[in-house]
Amino acid sequence: KEQSLLLAAAYVYDAQYNRNIPFETASQAVRLYYLYNHWTMQAATYFFIFIDLSLALFEEPAAYPLPFLATSLVEVMCLLAFFGRLFHFAKVTPRDVFWKDAKNICIMIAILMTLVDLIIYGSLRISNIQSVRWSRPMRPIFLINFAESRQIRRAFRSIRNTLPEITYVFLLFMFSLLMFSLMALKLFGDRNLKTVDGLPYFTDYLSIVFEMYVLVTTANSPDVMMPAYNFSGWYCLFFITYVVINTYIFMSVFLAVVYNNYRKHLKNEIRKLVYMKRRKMVEAFNLLKVKEGAEFVIKEDQWKNLIKLVAPDISTSHRELLLRISDEEQKGHVDKKSFVRLADLLNIQVITMKLRSHPLAIWFPHMYNSASSLFIRSIVQHKGFVWMYDVIILINAVFIALDEKNPFISYAEWVFLSLYIVEILLKLYTYEPRTFFARNQFWNWFDTFIIIAALIATVLNTTLKSVTVYNSQQVLDIVFILRVLRLIRIIDSIQRFRVIMNTLINIVPTMLTFGGLALVVYYIFAIVGMEIFQGKVQFFAGNTSAQHASYCGNPSLKDSAFAHSKYCKNNFNNIVSSFIVLMELTVVNQWHVLASGFALVTHEAAKLFFITFHIVVVIMIINIFVAFILEAFFVEY
Amino acid sequence: KEQSLLLAAAYVYDAQYNRNIPFETASQAVRLYYLYNHWTMQAATYFFIFIDLSLALFEEPAAYPLPFLATSLVEVMCLLAFFGRLFHFAKVTPRDVFWKDAKNICIMIAILMTLVDLIIYGSLRISNIQSVRWSRPMRPIFLINFAESRQIRRAFRSIRNTLPEITYVFLLFMFSLLMFSLMALKLFGDRNLKTVDGLPYFTDYLSIVFEMYVLVTTANSPDVMMPAYNFSGWYCLFFITYVVINTYIFMSVFLAVVYNNYRKHLKNEIRKLVYMKRRKMVEAFNLLKVKEGAEFVIKEDQWKNLIKLVAPDISTSHRELLLRISDEEQKGHVDKKSFVRLADLLNIQVITMKLRSHPLAIWFPHMYNSASSLFIRSIVQHKGFVWMYDVIILINAVFIALDEKNPFISYAEWVFLSLYIVEILLKLYTYEPRTFFARNQFWNWFDTFIIIAALIATVLNTTLKSVTVYNSQQVLDIVFILRVLRLIRIIDSIQRFRVIMNTLINIVPTMLTFGGLALVVYYIFAIVGMEIFQGKVQFFAGNTSAQHASYCGNPSLKDSAFAHSKYCKNNFNNIVSSFIVLMELTVVNQWHVLASGFALVTHEAAKLFFITFHIVVVIMIINIFVAFILEAFFVEY
Ligand code: NA
C-alpha cells in the first residue's frame, strides 16, 4: 500500500517537473530514485560541473595560476563525482534503458578520455615535454548530458534539427559569395586601386572572399567599397546589390529558417511533453484507484496522502483549494480526468492573499490606529505619495549628473538616501511586511535591496575616506552604480512600462537556458582559441610608452589595425580575456580587425577560426536567441 | 441589359484585382471607370510620378544640372497630369466619397503647396534671393496616395499601427540608454582616460549618450570599451551588460513588436479583402441573376459574355475550363456559390500544357525523325547532358579565375561561349520552342538572355579592341559580369537549391513593395539632407595629391576619421550620392563616422538627422522588411 503510494508520488512528481526518466519500480529503486532527484544531489552535480568548468581559470594559460597537481586532483575529484552520479542513475533506471541512452555513453567516454588525457599530459610533463590538454573542450559535455540540463539539451536538439535545412541555404549563400568575389576580382583586380592603408585592392581571390564575407557581416562597410566607388560611381551598384542579396535577404532567410524550425520543433516537443505528462499521471492513477460505482476513483484520504508526499511544503488551505478543484462536486473522491490535471495544478503558484493584520496593529493597537497614525497611512497610500517620490527621483537624477566635487551636492546625496529610507520605512509602517515582501513583489524587493546596498556602500565609502588616505575606487564605483540604479524605479510608475518590464522579466528563465547554450559554445571556442593563440598577443598595462607595448609585444603586429586600435588586451591569454574577445566577436563589429590581427601573429588560416565562430554563434545561436525572444514575447505580451 | 453586364464586369474586375473604389453606376460613369482603370492610364500616372521624382536629379544641387525654368515647367506638367488623374477620379466616384477620402485631399494640398513653392522660389530667384524649395520632400505623396499604390500604402498603414506600441518600448529603451550613460559618466568621467585618438574619454554627458547610442548599433564596438577595459578588466562587465540589454534584448523586442503587429495587421487586411471581394461578386451576381426553379442563377451564355468582358485575352479552352469548374454538374447555369469563387479562379494562372509538335517535325518530318536526329534528341534529354554542362561550367569558373592576359585563356572564352550557344540550340532543337520559353520557365529565359547578351558584348568588345586603340572599359566590365552570371546556372541542377531559389523568386513582388517604401523614405531624407549638407563636403577625383582634397575641401574635417577613411565622396551634393550615403547609413557600420563628419562641417545637432534616420530606417523599416521576409518565407517554403 505504502509502496504504491510512494511510486505514484514519484510519477506525479515527474509529471509535475516534466521529467521523463524510466525507473525501476521496486521499493528500493524508488527510494533511490527519490534520492537521485533530491535537490541536494542535483545541486551537488551542478556544483561539480561548475568546478570542472572553472578549472580553466587555474590551468595554463591561467588567469590565476595553480600547480598542475592541484588542478588535476580537483579534476579527478569532479570526474569521481560525475561517475558517482552516473552510477546512481544506473542503479535507478533499468539496465537496458541505461545502456541504450547516448547521454550516459557520452558521459562515460568523456570521463575516460579526460582520465587518459590527464595521464598522458602528466607523464609527458614529468619528462618535460610540452603537450596539449586536448580533453578540455569536452568538459561542457557534462553540463549538457546530465539529466538536469533538459532545457539546454532541447536547445541543442533544436539546432541539430535546423542544421540540414540551414546547410542548403548556407551553401547557396557561399555560392553567391564565391560568385560575387569572382566578379570583384575581374572588375577591380587589374585597376591598380589602393586601400586607405595603401595596400593593393582586390587582387587576390582568397582575400577578396574574406573581405566579401566580412561585408556580409557589415563590419567593413563602407570602407571595402570606397576605393572602387572613388574610382567610378557606377561600381557602388555592385556593392549595393551584394549587400541587398547577401546581408539583407540571405541573413533574413537564415533567421526565417531557424525560426521556422524552432517553432515546428517547439510544437512537437510540447506535444510530446503533454503526452508524457498524461501517461505518468494515468500510471499514478492506476496505482491508487479503487472502484466506486461504475468508475475508478481515488479516495479523498488517499489523495491527501499523495499530496503530502508530492508537495510537503504547501499550506493546508492550498491543499484544500486543490481538493476543491479536483473534486468539484465534493463527492469525497477524485476521478481520473480531474486527477490527470493535478500535475499542472501543482505548478500554479498560489499567492495566499491573507488579509493579515499589521504586526504593529497587534502589538500596539491603540498607537497604530490613532488619528495621526491613520493620517500618515492615508498619505502613504495616496497617489500623490508615489508622484512626490517620482519628482524626488527626477531631481536626484539631475544631482547625480552634476559635478561630484561640489560639497553641497555630495551633502545632497545623504538627503536623497534618507528620503528613500524614510519611504521604505513608511511603506513598511503602512503595509503588512510579509505582503510587502511577497514573492511576486519584484519592485519592492528591488527597491529595498538597492537602498540598503547603497546605504552600506556609502557608509563604507565615507568610513574608508575618513580613516585611510586611500579612497577605495571599487566601493565608490559600486556607490555610483547603485545610485543610478535607484532611478530605475520610476519605470514602475508608468503602467505601459510596467507591462513591458514584466514581459521582459518573464522571459528571463528562457534567456538563462540560452545563457547555458552560449556558455557551452563559448567555452569550447575559448579553450581551442587559447591553445592556438595563447601568448601571441601581449598587453602591457600602464607603461604604454614602451615601444613593444605599441605593437602588443609581437613585431608581426607593427602597423596593423589591431595594434593601432589598441586591441592588445583582446587576447586569448586566459579564459577570462578569451570570453571577452568572443563576446566582441559576437557583437561582430571590428571582428575582421581581430581576425586579421590573430592571423598576422600565426597564419592566414587562423581566420577560419573566426569565420567558424561567426557562423556558429551569429548565424546559428543569435538567430535561435532572436527566435527565443520572438516566441517568448508573442506568448507573454 | 448590356449596361448591367458592363457594371457586373466592373465589379468582377475589381474583385479580381482587390480594388475597392466606390464608383457611380450610371452608364457613362462606368465607362469612365473602365478608362480610369485602363493600364495605359495607370502607366501614364506612374510615368509622371517617376518624372516628378526624377526632377531631383536635375534641380540644384544637381547630378545633371538643368535650368530652373526647364525643371519647373516639367514639374508643372506633372502637377497637371496629377490634377487630371484626380479630376478623372472625381468624375468616377460619388462626390461625398471623393471629399471624405484623405488621399484625395492630400494630393490636392500637395499640388497646391508645390505650386505656391514654385511661385515663391521663382520670384525670389528673379530677385536673386537664395531660398529653399521646401515642397520637394512632399513629392512621394503622389507615389503613396494614388490608388494604384495600394501595397505601399498598406505597408505604411502597418507602420502607423505599430507606432503606439513601439513608442513605449522605444521610450523604455531611451530611459535605459540615459541611465547607462549617466553611470558611464560617473564611472569613467574623472579618470582622465583617453581614446585611441588621444581625445578625452567619456567626460561630456551628451557625447556619452551619442556614443552609447552608437554602441547599440554595434558600430563602435569594441573601440568605445577599450580605454575603460585597458584601465581595468572589470569595466568590461558594464559594456557587456549594456550590449546584452540594449543591443540584443531591446533590438529583438523591437523586431518582436513590429512582427507581431505586422502579422495582426496582415490578418485583418486579408479578412477585409476577402469580405470586400465577396461583396463585389455578390453585387455582380445580383445584376445578372435570373430565377431558375427555387434559386437564382446566371445563365451560361450570360456568364460567357461576362467572361469575355472581364478577361478578353484568355483562350477558349481556358474559358471552357472555368465554366466546367463553375458549373460542375453541367446544368447550363452557374449558381451564386460557384460564381463568387470566379474572382479567385481568374487569378489562377493556367499553363496550357499543349502537346505541341515541334515546328521542325511539321516542316521537315522526315529529317526530324531520322535516326541521327532521334539520337541527338535522346542525348539532349539524357541526365548526362545536364551533368556534362555542369562540369563545363565548373571548368569555366576555373578559367575565369585564372589570369585574363594569357592569350590561350582568352581564346578558351570563345570555346565556352560556343559551347553554351550550342547547348541552347540543341535544346531548342529537342524541345518545342514555345514550351521551352513558357512564362514559368525562369531558368531558360535567364540562360538565353545571359548567353545572347554575353555574345553581343564579347563581339562588341572585340570589335572595339580591333577598330580603335581605346579599349572600352564599360563594355569589358559587362562582359566580365555576364561571364560570371553564366555560372549561376549550376544552381538549377540541384533540387534543394532550386526550391530555395524559387522561394526567393516568389517573394520578389513583396520585396518590390518594400522597395517602394524604402524609396519614399530615402527620397525624403535625401532631399532634406541635401538642403542641410550640400557643398559642405567635396570630393576631388584623381588629383588626390592636392592638400585640400585630403580633408574633402573643408578645413573642419582636418584630422577627422571621416577624412582619414577617404569618405569625401560620401556626401549630399546630389541626389545620387545622397542615396548612396543613406544606403551606407542603412548598413549601419561606420555610420557614426559619417554622422560625426557631417556634424563637424555644420553643427553637433546634425547628428540628430542621422539618429532619426537610424530610428526610422533601421529600427522601423528594416524590421518590417525582416517581418516581410519571415512571413513570406513561412508561406512559401
Ligand atoms: Na557593424
Side-chain angles (χ1 to χ4, degrees), chain B residues 28 160 305 349 403 411 500 520 573:
Chain B
Q28 187 64 21
R160 206 180 48 206
N305 289 334
Q349 276 192 20
D403 193 5
Y411 181 72
I500 301 170
V520 168
N573 294 355

Side-chain angles (χ1 to χ4, degrees), chain A residues 59 65 102 112 138 159 163 245 258 283 303 306 314 330 354 375 380 415 425 442 446 539 563 631:
Chain A
E59 292 162 336
L112 218 73
M138 284 160 57
I159 291 179
L163 269 186
I245 292 179
V258 168
E283 272 184 85
W303 186 90
L306 181 72
I314 65 174
Q330 291 184 286
K354 274 185 203 148
F375 179 67
V380 174
V415 175
L425 290 178
F442 171 79
F446 178 81
F539 174 66
E631 203 59 30

Side-chain angles (χ1 to χ4, degrees), chain B residues 478-547:
Chain B
I478 291 172
V479 171
F480 282 144
I481 292 171
L482 290 171
R483 216 173 273 172
V484 177
L485 281 180
R486 245 159 31 191
L487 307 180
I488 293 182
R489 265 205 18 196
I490 209 161
I491 292 173
D492 198 35
S493 307
I494 297 162
Q495 166 66 17
R496 288 298 300 257
F497 285 174
R498 212 156 47 206
V499 172
I500 301 170
M501 280 301 284
N502 284 339
T503 310
L504 290 179
I505 291 168
N506 284 339
I507 60 182
V508 164
T510 319
M511 286 199 285
L512 286 184
T513 302
F514 177 80
L517 188 76
L519 177 69
V520 168
V521 179
Y522 267 49
Y523 196 86
I524 296 170
F525 272 98
I527 298 277
V528 173
M530 286 197 292
E531 294 297 350
I532 306 174
F533 303 115
Q534 62 172 284
K536 305 271 193 221
V537 171
Q538 236 114 42
F539 173 67
F540 300 92
N543 58 340
T544 37
S545 55
Q547 246 269 286

Side-chain angles (χ1 to χ4, degrees), chain A residues 217-221 587-590, chain B residues 217-221 587-590:
Chain A
T217 70
T218 78
N220 58 0
S221 158
V587 176
V588 174
N589 202 53
Q590 299 288 71
Chain B
T217 70
T218 78
N220 58 0
S221 158
V587 177
V588 173
N589 200 56
Q590 298 289 71

Side-chain angles (χ1 to χ4, degrees), chain A residues 64 164-165 168-169 171-172 175 179-180 182-183 185-187 190-191 195-196 218-223 225-226 229-236 240 243-244 248-250 252-253 255-257 259-260 263 397 399-405 473-474 477 480-481 484-485 487-488 490-491 494 496-497 500-501 504 511 539 541 564-570 577 580 583-584 586-590 594 622 625-626 629-630 633-634 637, chain B residues 64 164-165 168-169 171-172 175 179-180 182-183 185-187 190-191 195-196 218-223 225-226 229-236 240 243-244 248-250 252-253 255-257 259-260 263 397 399-405 473-474 477 480-481 484-485 487-488 490-491 494 496-497 500-501 504 511 539 541 564-570 576-577 580 583-584 586-587 589-590 594 622 625-626 629-630 633-634 637:
Chain A
Y64 310 99
E165 226 170 303
Y168 280 102
V169 180
L171 287 178
L172 204 56
F175 178 75
M179 287 296 100
F180 271 100
L182 194 55
M183 243 185 251
L185 178 67
K186 291 281 119 182
L187 288 177
D190 291 335
R191 297 229 185 284
T195 66
V196 175
T218 78
N220 58 0
S221 158
D223 307 86
M225 172 179 101
M226 291 317 289
Y229 180 47
N230 284 338
F231 180 77
S232 159
W234 290 105
Y235 285 138
C236 73
I240 290 175
V243 165
V244 168
Y248 288 112
I249 298 179
F250 267 110
S252 303
V253 169
L255 176 61
V257 170
Y259 184 40
N260 202 12
R263 281 209 297 194
F399 270 81
I400 291 175
L402 293 175
D403 193 5
E404 182 69 21
K405 303 278 156 47
Q473 192 57 53
Q474 244 117 345
D477 283 350
F480 282 144
I481 292 172
V484 176
L485 282 180
L487 307 180
I488 293 183
I490 208 161
I491 292 173
I494 298 160
R496 287 300 297 259
F497 286 174
I500 300 170
M501 280 301 284
L504 290 180
M511 285 199 287
F539 174 66
H564 282 313
S565 311
K566 299 204 173 156
Y567 283 174
C568 306
K569 204 171 180 176
N570 295 326
S577 60
I580 293 169
M583 183 71 205
E584 290 170 5
T586 308
V587 176
V588 174
N589 202 53
Q590 299 288 71
L594 294 167
I622 292 286
F625 176 72
V626 174
I629 298 231
L630 283 181
F633 205 80
F634 290 161
Y637 199 59
Chain B
Y64 310 99
E165 226 171 304
Y168 280 101
V169 180
L171 287 177
L172 203 56
F175 178 74
M179 286 296 100
F180 272 99
L182 194 55
M183 244 186 250
L185 178 68
K186 291 281 118 184
L187 288 178
D190 291 335
R191 297 231 184 285
T195 66
V196 175
T218 78
N220 58 0
S221 158
D223 306 86
M225 173 179 101
M226 289 318 290
Y229 179 46
N230 285 336
F231 180 76
S232 159
W234 291 104
Y235 285 139
C236 73
I240 290 174
V243 165
V244 168
Y248 289 110
I249 298 179
F250 266 111
S252 303
V253 169
L255 176 60
V257 171
Y259 184 40
N260 202 12
R263 280 209 298 197
F399 271 79
I400 291 174
L402 293 176
D403 193 5
E404 182 70 22
K405 302 277 155 50
Q473 191 58 51
Q474 243 117 346
D477 283 350
F480 282 144
I481 292 171
V484 177
L485 281 180
L487 307 180
I488 293 182
I490 209 161
I491 292 173
I494 297 162
R496 288 298 300 257
F497 285 174
I500 301 170
M501 280 301 284
L504 290 179
M511 286 199 285
F539 173 67
H564 282 312
S565 312
K566 299 204 173 156
Y567 284 175
C568 305
K569 204 169 180 177
N570 295 326
V576 178
S577 60
I580 292 170
M583 183 72 205
E584 291 169 6
T586 307
V587 177
N589 200 56
Q590 298 289 71
L594 294 168
I622 292 286
F625 177 72
V626 175
I629 297 232
L630 283 181
F633 205 79
F634 290 162
Y637 200 58

Side-chain angles (χ1 to χ4, degrees), chain B residues 415-435:
Chain B
V415 175
F416 284 114
L417 198 52
S418 323
L419 281 172
Y420 294 131
I421 293 168
V422 166
E423 185 199 9
I424 289 179
L425 290 178
L426 278 175
K427 280 187 176 166
L428 282 177
Y429 181 77
T430 310
Y431 305 107
E432 205 282 320
R434 276 163 297 178
T435 317

